Amino acid sequence: MVNALKDTANSGENRVIEWAVSEKPVDYEAAVAFMEARAAEIAAGTANQLVWLLEHPPLYSAGTSAKPSDLLPGASFPVFKSGRGGQYTYHGPGQRIAYLMLDLRHHKRDVRAFVQSVENWVIDALAQFAIKGELRCGRVGVWVDRTHPGFARQEDKIAAVGLRVKKWVSFHGISLNVEPDLSHFSGIIPCGIQEEGLGVTSLVDLGYPVTYGEVDEALRQTFIARFGPVATVNAPL
């Protein structure tokens, strides 16, 4: 889901995309503050674009469309309001976050096409592990069909997408479930979806015990194929 704001930026010319990975969990509010500042600098043409991979301590994030009723009784983690599009989601250990601070003026000034590219990037990365990620009309994010012939539908979400675009610069991004405690999603109705047969899964839950290093490399290689080369830098936090 995207929250898109009016274009008021200057043109900017910096096309370099930096790639950073934080080795330790990063505080959510500190990460958001950094993203907002960096996005403003990118819009002004004074900073490079950045893809930032990280992990957060356990928390719930409420997007701009979040409904109070989707935060369930007994939710045990802190809740943070977020400027990204979408509803409630969970972040925590075992989940790879990729924050995308990209200048759409250097890619394509089409927010919908950009979101589709991001979703397909995640699908490309999952394919590196022989996992078929799929999109569903009316359901944001990337899904895995686990339905067995003759049984009721079972489709599980493996990656959430929540972006904001301001002055043609994106921030926030995607969360890919590598090995989180899936019970932590029980404090919310993830992304407002509560239909029968829809759930949440992870790489490990699907039987793929991969490491963060392997996931990060899959994300990097498939990102380069879709968006262009990257330059590795130290993590900001």
Side-chain angles (χ1 to χ4, degrees), residues 124-152:
D124 293 345
L126 289 171
Q128 303 301 301
F129 305 104
I131 295 173
K132 184 180 181 182
E134 299 179 313
L135 305 180
R136 290 290 183 266
C137 182
R139 286 192 254 137
V140 179
V142 179
W143 297 77
V144 177
D145 189 346
R146 306 177 77 178
T147 307
H148 294 288
F151 289 83

Side-chain angles (χ1 to χ4, degrees), residues 1-5 28-33 35-36 56 59-67 78-91 97-99 160-165 170-175:
M1 185 64 69
V2 174
N3 184 335
L5 301 184
Y28 183 78
E29 291 181 307
V32 171
M35 275 195 293
E36 291 176 345
H56 285 309
L59 63 94
Y60 296 124
S61 168
T64 55
S65 301
K67 300 176 182 178
V79 179
F80 296 92
K81 290 186 177 180
S82 170
R84 63 166 173 80
Q87 302 184 42
Y88 279 104
T89 193
Y90 165 77
H91 295 316
I97 306 294
Y99 285 139
V161 178
L163 292 157
R164 187 177 185 187
V165 176
S170 69
F171 51 113
H172 294 281
I174 66 107
S175 56

Side-chain angles (χ1 to χ4, degrees), residues 7 17 41 58 73 100 102-103 110 150 169 183 209-210 215:
D7 174 20
I17 303 176
E41 292 170 355
L100 309 175
L102 300 179
D103 193 335
D110 185 328
V169 177
S183 70
V210 300
V215 170

